[in-house]
Amino acid sequence: MPIQKVDKERIIKDSLKTFKAQGYHKTTMADIAKACGILKGSLYHYFKSKEELMEAVIDYLTQYYENKIFSVKNKHDINGYEKLVFLMKKSEEIFLTDNGGCLMASIGLETVNVIPHFTQKIQRFFKSWISCFEQIFSDKFPPEKATELAEYGVAEIEGSVLLMLIFQDEKYLKHAHQRILNRYINS
Amino acid sequence: MPIQKVDKERIIKDSLKTFKAQGYHKTTMADIAKACGILKGSLYHYFKSKEELMEAVIDYLTQYYENKIFSVKNKHDINGYEKLVFLMKKSEEIFLTDNGGCLMASIGLETVNVIPHFTQKIQRFFKSWISCFEQIFSDKFPPEKATELAEYGVAEIEGSVLLMLIFQDEKYLKHAHQRILNRYINS
Amino acid sequence: MPIQKVDKERIIKDSLKTFKAQGYHKTTMADIAKACGILKGSLYHYFKSKEELMEAVIDYLTQYYENKIFSVKNKHDINGYEKLVFLMKKSEEIFLTDNGGCLMASIGLETVNVIPHFTQKIQRFFKSWISCFEQIFSDKFPPEKATELAEYGVAEIEGSVLLMLIFQDEKYLKHAHQRILNRYINS
Amino acid sequence: MPIQKVDKERIIKDSLKTFKAQGYHKTTMADIAKACGILKGSLYHYFKSKEELMEAVIDYLTQYYENKIFSVKNKHDINGYEKLVFLMKKSEEIFLTDNGGCLMASIGLETVNVIPHFTQKIQRFFKSWISCFEQIFSDKFPPEKATELAEYGVAEIEGSVLLMLIFQDEKYLKHAHQRILNRYINS
DNA sequence: AATGAATGAGAATTCATTCAT
DNA sequence: AATGAATGAATTCTCATTCAT
């Protein structure tokens, strides 16, 4: 009677790091198994394919963001500025750990023409993120402007993450965050 | 049947499309050979490995940008605004063709932790791009501000390209371009 | 269909025959897989490359000789002549089966300038063989003479194996054995 | 009108070195072309296949030995001992140059079960060599004894060449030569 | 004669996946 | 649940050979 060495969530978390660092196609099931401390075959008890695992990772991460981070938009005990500061703090935590980068952007770009159902799931993540910014900005801006600023902010952050990775310099992300805060303040 | 069917540049151009659409790891030498209309083995006459071919593609594209696009920064017969408009027109041409997207960003993200010498080459591309914006902005802004605006603009465009691909909507890129122009005008 | 169809030792033994008959470079992993009754890919569960498999074969054979054949040198219940007779009987068994020939000599010659770490392993085999003869001869000869006779004997046998293969005639090996015995007796 | 850069003999001589150092299967037509200073395709003007080239090399070398070396057996102006000394000097010249080794032995072992018509040609070489020794020994020994001593000598030399290559030590060959001379003298 | 591009079969190796235990 | 052997298709790369120029 074998002992449960891992569970689905454990596998998701461990493979998340690997997918984030290496991308989808470069990561092998053997890489993931090793990262989880189990054997390749055992992965198939939890996920019936690599695609399904990747989808579970995307879903898990989306829910994590929605529940733990983007949910800040509905808080009543802090103001808009504080919400933005919270978002940036969390972004920096996540985009700077495990070699840095944003899994959604990396996997999104890598698979957009190749595995369309990943793209659908990734859309949900970006919609949630944009909608979070939108709601915060709608304090101070009319709806259309809030929407545009939200898309603008997400784009700016993702572009900065790219430059950060390419040049190995965190300043890009920090500057982007600062600009977003400034746009909010100076309105 | 011998006879020159292709040459190095032809292969680079054809594989560029494939790498841009599918990424590095998903693209096989067979895909490229098919795109070039030759056989797999023949590719190895021109490039001794898939990595070498990818590097040639990156170099080719960087030189293309430097010579045909970023070189606008030194033109004397047009003003800063016109230079920016030229850049955006070219960006839109390139980032919207062949399934859309920016090869440098896609390959950069996919390989940053995995094939470091690609990253070095990709850095050169982004340096050239930033330096092009920098010089244009330095008409109207002090050096430090010009630099920051340049990095800002590149990040914003790349982030927009990401959203554009994920949501299949060109508006993101166009808005980013508009914002960059506005920042230049309203200064 | 899983179930253990082979194990490392089985693969080593089956590939030994193939390497002995065809040499290292001519033998393909597909040849070996077929000889083992498994698929090519399955070989890589046991050995991570063709080189590693070849090395395992060399090591296995060296140990087999050391444990089962050259170890005769330390027996106390038989005399030197009987030891020599035992060695020759074993030699004939091995050098005359599976198309005949000596794997160590064949692989040694084929790879000496090309895969140096094979040569190191093959040296060990020949050292053990020479040292076996040496100890037997040291009964009747002073140390230096015993050493020279040992090297002489091994060379003579290997040269005879070559002629035997080229001319498809076992007499060469048998004559060499006879001469070695005579040198021991007539001393 | 292209200039004759090479001729058949030049190609044979240059590929001889390569085949001797690397063996038949490991040596590619590209290796040979490079060694000859021509392009791969050009080799096929002179030899219609790799096998045919190898055969030409074997034939060339056999004739060289027969004409320049083994022919010593018929000289009237030197005695048997001097003939042996001449043979050994030539052997040492050849077996010690270009990484050392005997092409006939190396190619013979590598291809004996795989390309039978090489073996036939190689037999001729060894027959000539044995017959050379035979005739020299027949000065002092009865025919049967001379034959056996001749085979014995060739085997001993080839085995020594093997040990010489494996241990990178010329002493093995030199000792073998000495023993052969001694057998002649002390008769 | 010489070139060198092109071929296509085949090499080693990888990898997602299956399945009996 | 976990294993790990086995699969077989796919992947990168090699190489002897052909042939138009």
Side-chain angles (χ1 to χ4, degrees), chain C residues 19 23-24 54 58 103-112 118 122:
Chain C
F19 281 130
Y24 179 72
M54 182 79 255
I58 295 171
L103 176 127
M104 296 294 184
S106 300
I107 302 299
L109 279 187
E110 188 185 341
T111 63
V112 66
F118 288 177
I122 292 171

Side-chain angles (χ1 to χ4, degrees), chain A residues 9-179:
Chain A
E9 193 171 336
R10 185 73 259 135
I11 291 174
I12 288 172
K13 284 177 179 166
D14 289 338
S15 56
L16 170 43
K17 290 180 197 169
T18 312
F19 281 130
K20 181 176 166 184
Q22 305 197 333
Y24 179 73
H25 290 102
K26 170 71 183 168
T27 298
T28 69
M29 291 301 262
D31 291 337
I32 293 166
K34 198 196 235 174
C36 299
I38 57 174
L39 289 185
K40 232 180 1 167
S42 308
L43 283 175
Y44 288 84
H45 274 276
Y46 298 95
F47 300 96
K48 69 167 183 284
S49 69
K50 188 181 169 187
E51 275 200 30
E52 198 179 288
L53 172 54
M54 182 79 256
E55 289 174 37
V57 168
I58 295 171
D59 287 342
Y60 169 85
L61 196 58
T62 300
Q63 281 164 40
Y64 176 85
Y65 271 98
E66 288 177 348
N67 295 334
K68 307 280 169 140
I69 301 179
F70 302 153
S71 57
V72 71
K73 71 180 182 185
N74 298 316
K75 283 230 170 182
H76 293 298
D77 51 346
I78 59 174
N79 63 32
Y81 177 78
E82 288 164 334
K83 288 177 183 178
L84 285 178
V85 169
F86 172 83
L87 279 180
M88 325 240 118
K89 195 169 69 86
K90 288 297 174 185
S91 278
E92 288 177 21
E93 270 171 41
I94 294 172
F95 295 153
L96 300 178
T97 46
D98 294 332
N99 294 300
C102 168
L103 177 127
M104 295 295 183
S106 300
I107 302 299
L109 280 187
E110 187 185 343
T111 63
V112 66
N113 295 301
V114 159
I115 313 179
H117 49 285
F118 288 178
T119 309
Q120 286 174 28
K121 290 182 175 294
I122 292 170
Q123 284 180 352
R124 174 171 157 199
F125 168 81
F126 282 107
K127 275 182 193 153
S128 295
W129 191 5
I130 289 168
S131 138
C132 173
F133 268 133
E134 211 171 12
Q135 188 163 330
I136 295 169
F137 286 129
S138 64
D139 283 356
K140 295 182 121 196
F141 298 92
E144 289 212 352
K145 183 68 183 167
T147 303
E148 218 233 299
L149 282 172
E151 291 168 353
Y152 179 5
V154 169
E156 200 177 346
I157 290 170
E158 285 294 358
S160 303
V161 168
L162 170 67
L163 293 182
M164 175 184 92
L165 289 169
I166 296 295
F167 289 112
Q168 296 287 25
D169 189 335
E170 302 182 354
K171 77 171 182 192
Y172 297 97
L173 180 58
K174 291 181 172 164
H175 289 177
H177 282 160
Q178 196 54 57
R179 288 191 300 263

